Amino acid sequence: MPRYLSMVRIDETSAPAEGPSPELMERMSELLEEITKAGVMLDTAGLGPSAKGKRVRWEGGQLSVTDGPFTETKEVVGGYALMQCKDMAEAIEWTKRFLKVHEEHWTVTCEVREIEEG
């Protein structure tokens, strides 16, 4: 069965400084329990703020390391979900449900990509 990586991109400027509300966390917990029981979720986690991150780049035969925050981009990868689904349509449905647990003031985008096996 194919695996899919959903990269959760957030706009750090619109995210609440205090983090997710208790209500959001409750809805998220319920969804994660359901998706895990369905045998779809393989792993998921949120990521620390981009201010504490690093970017490592290879360009023109040279490596460079840049400290966060990454001001040249508005959205950053804030988390991920590794899912095993029957097809892309199922991965998209679970991703839509993930997005809908957020309150309206959040700006969240998920990029869903199938993992190439072998």
Side-chain angles (χ1 to χ4, degrees):
M1 188 175 294
R3 296 184 304 156
Y4 297 87
L5 179 65
S6 178
M7 293 173 280
V8 182
R9 298 182 186 276
I10 62 168
D11 179 349
E12 288 185 316
T13 63
S14 71
E18 67 277 5
S21 68
E23 294 80 14
L24 188 156
M25 294 307 294
E26 177 65 25
R27 290 189 301 272
M28 188 69 68
S29 177
E30 291 171 5
L31 177 62
L32 290 177
E33 184 176 334
E34 182 181 349
I35 194 172
T36 300
K37 284 182 179 176
V40 170
M41 183 64 70
L42 300 177
D43 191 26
T44 186
L47 301 176
S50 66
K52 295 181 179 177
K54 308 272 187 194
R55 281 192 178 157
V56 182
R57 181 180 176 93
W58 174 257
E59 182 179 15
Q62 299 290 317
L63 280 172
S64 63
V65 179
T66 306
D67 294 335
F70 310 114
T71 56
E72 69 273 12
T73 57
K74 185 176 178 184
E75 294 178 335
V76 298
V77 177
Y80 70 92
L82 179 60
M83 301 178 286
Q84 188 165 14
C85 303
K86 64 182 178 192
D87 55 25
M88 177 63 88
E90 182 182 15
I92 295 298
E93 285 306 311
W94 283 109
T95 301
K96 286 179 179 177
R97 291 187 60 190
F98 165 77
L99 291 172
K100 287 180 179 177
V101 302
H102 292 78
E103 292 98 356
E104 289 184 12
H105 59 269
W106 283 86
T107 300
V108 185
T109 304
C110 289
E111 180 178 332
V112 181
R113 311 258 307 264
E114 184 173 353
I115 296 173
E116 297 289 330
E117 304 288 351

